[in-house]
Amino acid sequence: MAGSSGHGGPLHGRAVPFRSHQGLMRRAAVAARPDEILLQIDPVDGGLDHEVVGGLGRQVHQLRDVAQEIDREGKFQNNMLNQLQLILIKARAGVKNNGRRLNESIVQHGSNNVIHIIVFAMICFFLVYLWYKISG
């Protein structure tokens, strides 16, 4: 059985034609590359054809469903990413506007803030000096 084929033809290369008990046959082809296998369904078992076609049809349907789910998830994540980008653009614009307002406020009111900080530091230093003199 392994040495000869029931369908004729010489053996090519290392491939040995065989006939399986499920009605499938593998044989070496004359023009085929060494990594290719020809698969032929034997018409003796017609139920196998329906089983193979039905199984492949179910698998194709399942793969189509998975592909559609992946597509929906991709669209959902793309929409979410676009919304996040819009939020980020608005936040950047808000920070830029607030920074501009702060700069305008500092320019209009002068550098009184620096004077206030120096006065506060001198009062703190004076209080620490008094506390040190009283307790010491």
Side-chain angles (χ1 to χ4, degrees), residues 12-74:
H12 297 284
R14 298 182 331 173
V16 177
F18 68 91
R19 186 177 178 100
S20 70
H21 63 283
Q22 287 100 6
L24 299 177
M25 180 178 26
R26 177 181 153 199
R27 60 188 169 95
V30 176
R33 296 192 323 241
D35 60 342
E36 289 181 342
I37 296 175
L38 292 177
L39 188 63
Q40 181 179 13
I41 299 176
D42 193 3
V44 174
D45 189 9
L48 181 63
D49 290 343
H50 296 296
E51 183 180 331
V52 168
V53 170
L56 290 176
R58 282 189 299 273
Q59 287 181 349
V60 167
H61 184 67
Q62 288 174 346
L63 289 174
R64 187 180 314 127
D65 290 344
V66 168
Q68 289 174 350
E69 183 63 30
I70 290 171
D71 186 50
R72 280 193 294 270
E73 182 67 23

Side-chain angles (χ1 to χ4, degrees), residues 109-130:
H109 299 300
S111 58
N112 289 336
N113 294 337
V114 176
I115 294 172
H116 288 106
I117 292 173
I118 292 172
V119 170
F120 178 74
M122 290 178 67
I123 290 172
C124 288
F125 178 74
F126 181 71
L127 289 175
V128 170
Y129 176 75
L130 285 177

Side-chain angles (χ1 to χ4, degrees), residues 77-136:
Q77 289 184 3
N78 191 21
N79 288 338
M80 186 180 292
L81 182 62
N82 289 337
Q83 289 175 357
L84 289 174
Q85 285 177 339
L86 288 175
I87 291 171
L88 183 61
I89 289 170
K90 289 178 182 179
R92 283 182 183 166
V95 168
K96 187 176 179 180
N97 287 338
N98 288 336
R100 187 177 308 128
R101 285 183 198 165
L102 183 61
N103 285 337
E104 289 173 3
S105 174
I106 290 172
V107 169
Q108 286 177 357
H109 299 300
S111 58
N112 289 336
N113 294 337
V114 176
I115 294 172
H116 288 106
I117 292 173
I118 292 172
V119 170
F120 178 74
M122 290 178 67
I123 290 172
C124 288
F125 178 74
F126 181 71
L127 289 175
V128 170
Y129 176 75
L130 285 177
W131 184 37
Y132 179 73
K133 282 291 189 180
I134 294 172
S135 62

Side-chain angles (χ1 to χ4, degrees), residues 3-12 17 27-28 30:
S4 66
S5 172
H7 291 61
L11 299 178
H12 297 284
R27 60 188 169 95
V30 176

